[in-house]
Amino acid sequence: MIPVMTAADSNFADHRALADALTAERPLHALVRALHRISSAPVAVIDLRGGVLVSVPERAEWEAEELVAVSPPADSPVAGCILRSVELEGEPVAVLAMRGQSAPAELLSFAATLAGIELSRRHAILSGRRELLGQVLEDVIAGYLGEREGARRLLDHGLDVSKPHEVVVGSAEGSPRRLRSYPWNLHTLLTQQNDPHLRTIVDERLVLIVPEKAGLFVAKLCHEHLASFGSNARVGVSKPRLGVRGLRLGYFEARNALSEGYGVHVHRTQDLPTALLIASLEAGAPLGDLSAEALAPLLEYDQKNDTSLVDSLRCYLGKDGDMSATAAELFVHRNTLRNRLRLVEELTGRDVSLPSNYAHFWLATSGLDLSTGANLSSLFERGTAQDV
C-alpha cells in the first residue's frame, strides 16, 4: 500500500525544505529558490531602498519602489504581490515578495523569519570584524600605536596606510544601538564579503576610511544612511593623508568638520585654537601634528631656504610682540626681523598683529616640539612649569 501524504505532511516538508536552505553555500538565494519551487511563483527579497537582492526567476520584473513603500507590509496584495517584512535585530531591512497568492501566508512568514536569521548571522560576523577594527583605531587616535606597529595592525584589517586615505566621520541624534546594528549594505552581507570600505564605531560616531578622492561620495551615502534613523545627521571628511599619523590627524580633521552642523562638510583650514578646543575634548588630541599642519608653509620655506622663520616667530611671540627685545634676542636688526614677520604673513595669509592670529601662532609654535601624543593640557602644564 502506497502511503498517502497528508496536508500536514506536505506542510512539514515545505517548512523543512525552507529551513534546510540555510545550510546551503548561499543561504538566502537557496531560500528564495526553495520558496519558488514550492509556490511556482516569482519570489524576491528587496531592500528598503528598492534594490532587488535576490530574485527567482532572475529576470522577473518587480515594482520595487512601490513594494517597499508599504511599511509595514500589509496582508492585502501590493502591485500583485504578497509581502512579508524581513527584520534584523528587530529593525525592518527588506521585504520578501511573492507574486500572486500561491503559498500560505504562514509559509511566507516562516521564510521571512529565516531570511532575517541569515542576515543576522552574516551581520554578526561583520560586526565582530568592525569591533576589532574599532579597537585598533581607538589606539591609533589616542596615540598608543607607533607608525610601524599601527601600520601592521591596520594591514591585518586590509588597510594599507602607505597609500593615501580619507577619513569620514558621521553622527546622528538617535539610538547608539541602532548605529551599531543597522546594516548599511545588505549586498555586502549576501556576498559574504567585508565592507566595501573599512567601517567601525568610535565614541558613538560612525568612522569610515576610504581611498583618496572617494571621501565626498561616501560621505553623502553616509549622511543618507544616518538621516534614515536619526535626526541632525552630520558628516565630516578629512583631507587625504598617508601613514598612521596621517590617519590619526585625518580623524580629528573629519571630526572638526563634523562640528559645523547638519549635512556633509569637508575639512577646511581652521584657526588652530578652534581646532584644538574641539579636539582636546578627548584625550590624545594630536597637538604636535596640528601644529605642524598650521605652520607647514613656514616649515617648508625654512627647510628649502635654510632660514629661521619659525624660530623668529616663536621668539617674537615669547617677547609679547616686542620688536626691540626680539631683535636683541635674535642678534638681528629690527628691519631684518620686520622683513621676516612680513614673510610669515605672506606665507600663511595671517596678520601676526591680530589677536586671533597671535593666539593661533602661539599655540602652533608652542605645540610644534611636543610629542605626537601630547594634548592641550600638556601644553599648559609645560607653560606653567616654565613660568615658575
Side-chain angles (χ1 to χ4, degrees):
M1 181 176 181
I2 300 175
V4 178
M5 180 175 288
T6 65
D9 292 334
S10 177
N11 189 43
F12 176 80
D14 291 342
H15 281 72
R16 179 63 182 269
L18 294 178
D20 287 345
L22 296 189
T23 64
E25 183 177 352
R26 301 174 68 191
L28 195 61
H29 291 73
L31 178 66
V32 171
R33 284 195 298 270
L35 191 57
H36 171 68
R37 284 196 302 269
I38 294 170
S39 64
S40 299
V43 182
V45 177
I46 305 170
D47 69 26
L48 296 188
R49 294 179 178 177
V52 179
L53 302 175
V54 186
S55 174
V56 178
E58 291 186 6
R59 297 184 179 276
E61 296 184 0
W62 302 92
E63 300 293 335
E65 293 185 2
E66 183 177 352
L67 294 176
V68 299
V70 182
S71 181
D75 289 333
S76 56
V78 177
C81 300
I82 50 176
L83 308 175
R84 288 295 180 270
S85 178
V86 178
E87 298 184 352
L88 195 161
E89 297 191 16
E91 297 282 351
V93 295
V95 294
L96 177 64
M98 176 183 292
R99 187 162 292 134
Q101 301 184 54
S102 304
E106 179 186 354
L107 191 63
L108 194 62
S109 297
F110 181 63
T113 299
L114 293 177
I117 291 173
E118 173 57 19
L119 290 180
S120 295
R121 185 183 71 82
R122 290 298 312 161
H123 187 64
I125 294 172
L126 286 184
S127 294
R129 294 173 184 168
R130 295 180 194 130
E131 289 292 335
L132 293 175
L133 173 62
Q135 294 172 15
V136 176
L137 282 183
E138 286 177 356
D139 288 344
V140 167
I141 292 166
Y144 296 150
L145 294 177
E147 194 70 25
R148 179 177 297 180
E149 176 63 15
R152 183 190 67 79
R153 292 181 61 182
L154 288 169
L155 191 59
D156 290 341
H157 291 274
L159 177 62
D160 182 0
V161 293
S162 67
K163 299 177 182 178
H165 288 83
E166 298 173 11
V167 180
V168 177
V169 177
S171 70
E173 296 175 2
S175 169
R177 184 193 67 80
R178 291 196 71 195
L179 185 62
R180 293 179 180 275
S181 64
Y182 195 85
W184 193 349
N185 190 330
L186 293 184
H187 287 279
T188 298
L189 295 182
L190 297 185
T191 55
Q192 303 188 19
Q193 297 176 351
N194 293 329
D195 291 319
H197 302 298
L198 290 183
R199 175 163 63 101
T200 188
I201 305 295
V202 176
D203 300 320
E204 303 304 337
R205 298 182 183 93
L206 187 63
V207 178
L208 298 100
I209 305 172
V210 303
E212 183 179 13
K213 297 181 180 180
L216 187 58
F217 173 75
V218 173
K220 291 177 180 178
L221 293 178
C222 179
H223 184 264
E224 178 185 345
H225 170 73
L226 291 172
S228 68
F229 65 85
S231 60
N232 193 27
R234 299 170 295 157
V235 181
V237 186
S238 77
K239 299 191 326 190
R241 294 189 175 278
L242 293 166
V244 173
R245 291 179 63 188
L247 187 64
R248 183 168 181 250
L249 184 54
Y251 169 79
F252 282 100
E253 285 180 344
R255 203 182 68 184
N256 290 347
L258 178 84
S259 68
E260 296 188 28
Y262 181 85
V264 176
H265 302 279
V266 179
H267 170 76
R268 56 185 175 81
T269 303
Q270 293 182 309
D271 286 340
L272 188 60
T274 303
L276 284 174
L277 286 174
I278 295 171
S280 63
L281 293 176
E282 296 177 7
L287 181 55
D289 291 342
L290 287 168
S291 297
E293 178 81 7
L295 297 174
L298 306 184
L299 293 169
E300 183 178 357
Y301 187 90
D302 280 346
Q303 184 177 14
K304 288 183 177 180
N305 300 279
D306 194 25
T307 52
S308 55
L309 295 182
V310 174
D311 288 339
S312 298
L313 177 61
R314 182 187 286 113
C315 184
Y316 173 77
L317 298 169
K319 297 297 182 181
D320 294 326
D322 188 322
M323 294 287 290
S324 297
T326 304
E329 179 75 18
L330 295 174
F331 298 102
V332 299
H333 193 275
R334 283 174 53 122
N335 287 341
T336 300
L337 175 62
R338 188 174 290 110
N339 289 336
R340 289 180 183 178
L341 293 178
R342 186 177 298 115
L343 184 54
V344 167
E345 293 176 343
E346 290 177 1
L347 291 172
T348 62
R350 295 176 180 272
D351 186 341
V352 178
S353 64
L354 292 178
S356 60
N357 291 336
Y358 193 96
H360 170 91
F361 284 126
W362 180 84
L363 281 169
T365 55
S366 298
L368 185 62
D369 57 349
L370 292 177
S371 65
T372 305
N375 56 29
L376 192 59
S377 62
S378 302
L379 174 60
F380 293 131
E381 289 171 4
R382 190 187 69 162
T384 303
Q386 290 178 337
D387 292 340
V388 175

